[in-house]
Amino acid sequence: MTPYEKCLQILQNLFAKDCQFALATSAQETPSVRVVDAYFSDGAFYVVSYAQSTKVKELESNPHVALCNNAHRFKALARNVGHPLAAHNLAIRDQLREAFAAWYSLHNNEADANMCYIRIEPTWGFFHQDGVGYEVDFATQEVKTFPFTFEVVSVI
């Protein structure tokens, strides 16, 4: 297994479940951040959304986004991949319905033509697991590893 393949496996272990991330988009040089539920599969994060939402409109005009979850950070390219019932989305739909089972059917209406999935493909990332930090250039598949311990320090 290459270091890059190992990183993808670690990402799968960390994020192939319902995970909350801060998602940053921008429009006309003005950033916007919101918390989204994301799920990692097949080299990308997926978010359930609505085509008329601010985040979808912003990423359609500027696909460069950022994700952050604790000390895990990613720069990425995002795109609206369409409605959950589109033929090309059926496999990921099954995964998302399972991962987001606690709320998927309560908060989404698949009869609404504006419901959509966002695919967020990392271009750069930093994440950690078991005392090791990983910095990854996804385009070149280059991986740097180093000792890393995530500690939250509260200053009052």
Side-chain angles (χ1 to χ4, degrees):
M1 176 180 302
T2 68
Y4 182 73
E5 290 169 335
K6 181 179 179 182
C7 284
L8 291 178
Q9 185 177 53
I10 291 168
L11 287 172
Q12 194 74 20
N13 291 340
L14 290 171
F15 303 119
K17 58 187 174 194
D18 188 351
C19 298
Q20 292 191 330
F21 278 86
L23 170 66
T25 57
S26 66
Q28 300 173 350
E29 299 183 31
T30 302
S32 180
V33 179
R34 79 282 290 146
V35 175
V36 297
D37 290 85
Y39 173 83
F40 188 83
S41 178
D42 193 28
F45 292 93
Y46 287 86
V47 172
V48 179
S49 193
Y50 193 73
Q52 299 304 310
S53 69
T54 300
K55 72 177 154 291
V56 173
K57 289 179 180 181
E58 288 178 350
L59 69 85
E60 286 177 340
S61 68
N62 179 1
H64 296 272
V65 301
L67 289 170
C68 183
N69 167 302
N70 293 317
H72 308 287
R73 303 182 318 274
F74 300 91
K75 295 178 186 176
L77 294 173
R79 64 187 171 96
N80 176 348
V81 292
H83 196 274
L85 298 178
H88 63 274
N89 282 334
L90 293 180
I92 194 62
R93 176 183 178 262
D94 289 341
Q95 293 176 52
L96 295 175
R97 287 182 61 85
E98 183 177 332
F100 302 149
W103 55 265
Y104 188 97
S105 295
L106 295 172
H107 296 282
N108 297 294
N109 177 5
E110 290 184 345
D112 189 328
N114 283 304
M115 186 178 169
C116 64
Y117 292 157
I118 300 169
R119 179 178 166 94
I120 303 170
E121 299 178 30
T123 56
W124 174 92
F126 168 77
F127 52 94
H128 61 91
Q129 184 181 51
D130 299 329
V132 178
Y134 299 87
E135 183 176 348
V136 182
D137 181 325
F138 289 87
T140 63
Q141 299 185 358
E142 291 181 35
V143 178
K144 296 177 188 172
T145 60
F146 45 89
F148 182 83
T149 303
F150 179 61
E151 295 181 33
V152 176
V153 178
S154 180
V155 179
I156 298 178

